[in-house]
């Protein structure tokens, strides 16, 4: 799963990165791009990328899907959607049919260990951004989003049994603009996982009140699983 992430790429650098994606066309961020963030949590605002008529829009969205039938924001936030059930589950099936987009990450956090003594890890690719498969809705007159997850790829299973569905650049247009059947072809462990590297993060990341670059840890990133 993914319950915390990092996005420090912003401004023109973020616009340029989205603009290189196949099918993106021109890129517009009507409300601007977000500031650098190092501890983004569910229910907070995140940048959501959507393709519309040869234009990629970057809009602020609540991380936690609000389906059209929701009467209020109570209940657990729907910040992850399981790939195995996303096409049928009532909370997600409508969005999966026609409202697919991207969440943009520089990296994310995952915890390993026993309850009470879990060690957080910061995970990011060798280079560039991560583009996670997402769904969006406008329930309660708010733009909201959720991140699709799959079973973990083999090299990441040591850390957690779930992994966000990170899309390769040549998969993005199929996910965002394809038919539901075409999008469903991508609901499998990500081949982008082979590019992921990690290091121990600062345990202070466990509190959403903490927000600074040092949370991502220090030292070199590695692809060697921790014991």
């Amino acid at each position: 799963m993914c319950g915390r992430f990092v996005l420090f790429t912003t401004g023109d650098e973020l616009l340029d990165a989205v603009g290189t994606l196949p099918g993106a066309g021109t890129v517009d961020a009507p409300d601007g791009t977000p500031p650098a963030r190092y501890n983004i949590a569910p229910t907070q605002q995140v940048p959501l990328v959507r393709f519309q008529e040869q234009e990629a829009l970057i809009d602020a969205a609540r991380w936690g899907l609000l389906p059209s039938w929701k009467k209020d924001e109570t209940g657990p936030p729907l910040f992850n959607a399981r790939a195995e059930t996303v096409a049928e589950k009532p909370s997600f099936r409508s969005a999966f049919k026609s409202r697919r987009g991207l969440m943009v990450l520089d990296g994310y956090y995952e915890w390993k260990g026993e309850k009470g003594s879990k060690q957080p890890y910061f995970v990011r690719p060798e280079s560039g951004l991560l583009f996670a498969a997402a769904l969006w809705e406008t329930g309660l007159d708010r733009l909201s989003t959720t991140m699709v997850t799959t079973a973990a790829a083999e090299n990441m299973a040591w850390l957690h049994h779930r992994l966000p569905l990170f899309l390769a650049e040549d998969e993005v247009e199929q996910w965002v603009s394809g038919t539901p059947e075409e999008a469903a072809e991508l609901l499998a462990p990500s081949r982008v996982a082979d590019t992921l590297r990690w290091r121990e993060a600062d345990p202070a990341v466990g509190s959403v009140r903490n927000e600074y670059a040092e949370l991502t840890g220090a030292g070199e990133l590695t692809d060697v699983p921790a014991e």
Side-chain angles (χ1 to χ4, degrees):
M1 62 180 295
C2 178
R4 300 285 180 84
F5 72 91
V6 170
L7 180 63
F8 49 77
T9 298
T10 187
D12 289 342
E13 191 177 356
L14 178 59
L15 296 176
D16 290 344
V18 173
T20 65
L21 296 173
T26 60
V27 182
D28 187 24
D31 299 318
T33 58
R37 295 284 308 282
Y38 294 92
N39 195 7
I40 302 171
T43 74
Q44 295 179 349
Q45 294 291 99
V46 299
L48 170 69
V49 180
R50 296 176 291 168
F51 290 3
Q52 296 182 0
E53 298 179 355
Q54 301 304 308
E55 182 179 40
L57 295 176
I58 304 177
D59 292 304
R62 177 190 190 265
W63 185 18
L65 203 69
L66 297 171
S68 59
W69 45 263
K70 283 279 285 184
K71 297 187 184 329
D72 54 46
E73 296 183 18
T74 59
L78 301 173
F79 61 92
N80 285 164
R82 294 176 65 91
E84 295 86 347
T85 56
V86 70
E88 294 86 25
K89 195 169 182 178
S91 296
F92 307 121
R93 63 189 178 196
S94 178
F96 178 75
K97 287 180 181 178
S98 59
R99 291 183 291 279
R100 284 170 259 117
L102 306 169
M103 290 176 66
V104 189
L105 299 72
D106 276 294
Y108 71 99
Y109 299 104
E110 192 59 82
W111 279 256
K112 178 179 174 62
E114 300 299 322
K115 187 175 181 180
S117 61
K118 289 188 175 183
Q119 171 63 48
Y121 287 82
F122 174 59
V123 183
R124 68 165 304 178
E126 291 178 301
S127 62
L129 290 167
L130 293 166
F131 295 95
L135 309 176
W136 59 272
E137 282 276 16
T138 55
L140 300 180
D141 295 323
R142 291 188 62 184
L143 183 62
S144 62
T145 188
T146 189
M147 186 184 298
V148 179
T149 68
T150 71
E154 184 176 353
N155 69 313
M156 298 301 298
W158 69 273
L159 182 56
H160 197 276
H161 66 282
R162 303 294 295 178
L163 183 72
L165 175 50
F166 296 124
L167 299 169
E169 289 194 3
D170 60 3
E171 296 173 326
V172 164
E173 190 171 14
Q174 180 178 344
W175 172 260
V176 178
S177 304
T179 65
E181 292 75 20
E182 290 169 337
E185 294 173 358
L186 301 173
L187 296 175
S190 171
R191 57 188 172 95
V192 175
D194 289 340
T195 74
L196 296 178
R197 302 293 182 264
W198 47 82
R199 66 179 173 229
E200 291 188 356
D202 187 332
V205 74
S207 172
V208 296
R209 295 188 297 272
N210 295 323
E211 173 67 67
Y212 43 87
E214 290 78 11
L215 292 173
T216 66
E220 296 295 322
L221 295 160
T222 182
D223 60 356
V224 178
E227 295 181 0

